Amino acid sequence: MPEGDTVFRTARRLHEALAGEEVTRFDIRVPRHATADLTGEVVHEVVPRGKHLLMRIGAFTLHSHLKMEGRWLVFAHGEPWRTPAHQARAIVGTSRVDAVGFEIAMVDLVPTEEEDRLVGHLGPDLLGPDWDPVEAARRLHADARPVHVALLDQRHLAGLGNEYVNELLFVRGILPMRPATEVDVAGLVDTAARMILANRDRSGRTFTGDTRRGRQTWVYGRDRRPCRRCGTLIRRAELSATDTSERNVFWCPRCQR
């Protein structure tokens, strides 16, 4: 599941492949930007912002979001793609490589000076230069919704997705339904930052410290299986901020109260 650590690694890989190179192919396969052409422009940098990717080319920024299935892959120029071509939403090619965004969402092209209208609403980025744990904790503490919902709100802190939030609340011993106003938000933010930083450079994410398949999580995806700490069966429910944003919630009824 793409979350802040996945986006960070993707941006780094794209930056290493494209930065400083002239664009020789530019193909955006979404209707509103289908006629855009940045060939001849230079890729300045690719940077992550929470779970968003910003590719700065010439005076413009190509913005994308991985959502659940999206991914950017880099191929040597002329190399056959290993993913069906109909899934491609954006192609940025140079004389050396082709960067292809498959099943990416929220594809936008805006002048770089207008980036803020796409990502300016985001809170402090857990893996970004703007990271501010005090501000993130302040925003969380002001939210009376269930803490699971509050942590997923990217306006409070940017980079956490559902897997991280479930694991984070288990590690902190907090029931997901508890209002964010009633928890130690400073401790929660500190653990979140350490957790995502520990996974930032890993190809295989782990929350338990065990990288073996099936051993990486405490509660996420483990409903009706015994808690790794106390043996109580993990429970599962759905929780959401709106009717269209339901997320699976996993918790141990003994370790999280």
Side-chain angles (χ1 to χ4, degrees):
M1 180 181 295
E3 301 197 21
D5 53 352
T6 305
V7 175
F8 181 93
R9 290 191 298 273
T10 300
R12 181 169 58 190
R13 186 171 65 253
L14 289 171
H15 181 83
E16 290 171 351
L18 299 172
E21 299 287 331
E22 181 180 317
V23 175
T24 58
R25 181 181 181 185
F26 191 79
D27 185 0
I28 306 301
R29 299 178 178 180
V30 296
R32 66 182 175 278
H33 300 303
T35 60
D37 185 6
L38 295 184
T39 56
E41 300 289 349
V42 173
V43 179
H44 302 303
E45 60 183 345
V46 184
V47 298
R49 181 73 175 88
K51 295 194 285 184
H52 299 250
L53 274 165
L54 303 172
M55 187 181 297
R56 294 167 180 153
I57 307 170
F60 291 86
T61 295
L62 177 60
H63 161 259
S64 62
H65 195 293
L66 301 183
K67 289 290 185 179
M68 293 291 291
E69 306 294 338
R71 59 223 178 271
W72 277 92
L73 302 180
V74 178
F75 304 97
H77 184 65
E79 176 187 359
W81 298 350
R82 298 183 298 275
T83 301
H86 72 268
Q87 295 179 0
R89 297 291 178 269
I91 305 162
V92 180
T94 72
S95 60
R96 297 188 309 107
V97 301
D98 289 317
V100 187
F102 294 100
E103 298 186 287
I104 55 176
M106 299 170 63
V107 182
D108 296 287
L109 185 66
V110 299
T112 297
E113 62 185 15
E114 297 179 15
E115 274 181 11
D116 271 2
R117 67 184 175 88
L118 299 176
V119 295
H121 65 286
L122 298 174
D125 185 344
L126 281 151
L127 294 175
D130 68 318
W131 175 236
D132 183 343
V134 175
E135 176 59 16
R138 184 193 69 78
R139 295 186 185 201
L140 275 175
H141 185 64
D143 194 332
R145 294 177 298 175
V147 65
H148 186 278
V149 173
L151 283 166
L152 285 175
D153 192 329
Q154 303 297 297
R155 295 171 298 180
H156 299 336
L157 66 168
L160 296 182
N162 199 38
E163 185 176 8
Y164 265 99
V165 170
N166 276 285
E167 293 295 293
L168 172 63
L169 291 174
F170 173 82
V171 169
R172 295 294 303 184
I174 299 170
L175 193 67
M177 299 77 172
R178 192 174 178 185
T181 52
E182 298 179 5
V183 306
D184 174 12
V185 290
L188 197 59
V189 166
D190 177 69
T191 302
R194 289 188 287 113
M195 186 177 280
I196 199 167
L197 184 61
N199 279 307
R200 187 190 68 178
D201 300 320
R202 284 185 173 133
S203 57
R205 184 186 298 155
T206 180
F207 299 96
T208 62
D210 192 334
T211 58
R212 290 175 295 175
R213 186 174 181 179
R215 300 288 299 176
Q216 302 101 318
T217 63
W218 293 105
V219 292
Y220 186 79
R222 299 193 67 248
D223 51 305
R224 292 174 296 190
R225 280 181 270 180
C227 172
R228 299 191 194 281
R229 283 184 178 168
C230 71
T232 304
L233 295 184
I234 300 298
R235 293 184 184 176
R236 172 183 173 178
E238 291 183 343
L239 199 61
S240 65
T242 67
D243 292 339
T244 59
S245 62
E246 288 187 341
R247 296 291 184 272
N248 290 323
V249 179
F250 304 89
W251 76 98
C252 172
R254 182 174 181 181
C255 295
Q256 294 169 259
R257 299 186 178 183

